[in-house]
Amino acid sequence: MDNPSSLTFFLFCFCWIALIAGAVLGYIIGIRMARNRERHRLIKEKVRKNKIAIYRYQKEKYDYIEQIGRLEEELHSLVEESELYKECLADLEYYRRKVQESERIIERLSAAAPEDIDMPVDVFFLLLQLKQDPVRTNPTRQEWAELLHTTDLLFNNFLTTLKEKYGITRHEEEICCLIKWNFARKDQLAVFNNTTDALTKSKSRLKKRLQLDEKIDLDQYIRCY
């Protein structure tokens, strides 16, 4: 075999080896990338589930605190050492324990999250502030966004559904949000710093957008949606 033929044969073999090596290397890289993508997906799914769990325990904590407030008010109207008074004290102790349990679970779930993942803000503290002192509590746009997101998540994406189906506005989302959390009309007025007439008009526009009959109570409809 002359030199040109040997060189051609050598180059031919080299090309085939390079192709095979490239294919094997590409396969290995592809497998690793697929594994990394799957690992990343599993981490994201775990974080998502953690966030949902934290939201739910935060909501439970919020509900317990609401019950504590109600019971503390009720306690003032009861005669000390009466049976009702003792029952009320026992209920208070129960809900205080439940608040502590919820806080421990929230802390554990938050600690389990990767350090570079932002965990949910406790918007339920904001809700309590809004209910206790709506006049002086003035949520920022970002706080409203967190509150709307949490409400949507906990109530089966009802805000997303209303936006997609009826095109409700941001302010109408906020109205629906407060209604869903059982804010009384006077508290809605205080949160939005609105007059009765202004809130009535906003709710009328919302009813029309939702295609509701005039006789239907908007607040009741949203709470049951």
Side-chain angles (χ1 to χ4, degrees):
M1 186 181 290
D2 56 15
N3 286 338
S5 298
S6 299
L7 181 62
T8 302
F9 179 75
F10 173 78
L11 289 174
F12 177 79
C13 292
F14 178 79
C15 288
W16 269 106
I17 292 170
L19 284 171
I20 293 169
V24 171
L25 183 62
Y27 177 73
I28 293 170
I29 291 173
I31 289 176
R32 287 188 176 180
M33 288 179 67
R35 285 177 179 172
N36 286 338
R37 282 196 298 269
E38 179 63 13
R39 191 179 300 114
H40 185 64
R41 186 191 68 78
L42 291 173
I43 291 172
K44 284 180 68 177
E45 180 63 17
K46 182 181 178 182
V47 169
R48 187 188 70 82
K49 288 179 178 178
N50 268 10
K51 282 187 175 184
I52 292 172
I54 289 173
Y55 279 131
R56 297 198 183 282
Y57 281 108
Q58 285 177 342
K59 182 180 183 299
E60 280 189 14
K61 176 184 168 185
Y62 167 83
D63 291 337
Y64 296 143
I65 292 172
E66 287 257 283
Q67 290 291 345
I68 288 170
R70 181 185 62 77
L71 288 167
E72 285 176 341
E73 286 184 11
E74 189 179 320
L75 203 62
H76 293 309
S77 64
L78 297 175
V79 178
E80 284 193 38
E81 302 308 318
S82 68
E83 284 303 312
L84 283 175
Y85 187 87
K86 291 175 182 177
E87 287 179 17
C88 195
L89 277 178
D91 288 343
L92 264 173
E93 182 58 29
Y94 168 79
Y95 284 116
R96 283 169 180 159
R97 284 200 310 271
K98 296 301 285 184
V99 167
Q100 291 173 350
E101 287 174 16
S102 296
E103 287 175 341
R104 283 196 294 270
I105 294 170
I106 291 166
E107 185 178 351
R108 188 171 69 248
L109 288 169
S110 298
E115 292 182 2
D116 59 339
I117 300 294
D118 292 329
M119 295 309 292
V121 176
D122 188 351
V123 298
F124 299 96
F125 178 70
L126 175 61
L127 278 170
L128 288 170
Q129 284 184 310
L130 284 171
K131 282 201 170 181
Q132 292 167 2
D133 192 3
V135 175
R136 283 194 287 269
T137 303
N138 186 25
T140 64
R141 186 171 180 81
Q142 181 58 37
E143 286 173 331
W144 265 117
E146 291 283 352
L147 181 52
L148 294 174
H149 172 70
T150 304
T151 303
D152 197 40
L153 181 68
L154 290 174
F155 294 103
N156 299 316
N157 301 313
F158 89 105
L159 288 174
T160 298
T161 302
L162 292 179
K163 276 192 298 183
E164 291 176 352
K165 190 172 181 180
Y166 301 104
I168 64 173
T169 65
R170 169 64 178 255
H171 181 54
E172 288 167 348
E173 282 187 79
E174 293 170 357
I175 292 173
C176 291
C177 177
L178 294 188
I179 292 172
K180 204 70 171 175
W181 290 107
N182 295 314
F183 277 68
R185 185 178 177 82
K186 63 181 179 62
D187 293 329
Q188 295 171 31
L189 287 167
V191 171
F192 294 127
N193 193 24
N194 261 351
T195 63
T196 302
D197 186 51
L199 184 60
T200 299
K201 286 180 179 177
S202 293
K203 286 190 168 184
S204 294
R205 285 193 294 270
L206 178 55
K207 282 182 74 171
K208 287 180 181 176
R209 202 183 297 276
L210 298 179
Q211 302 171 18
L212 299 179
D213 189 274
E214 284 297 321
K215 295 178 182 178
I216 294 177
D217 181 86
L218 177 67
D219 288 33
Q220 187 64 27
Y221 175 83
I222 295 298
R223 287 188 184 113
C224 296
Y225 190 85

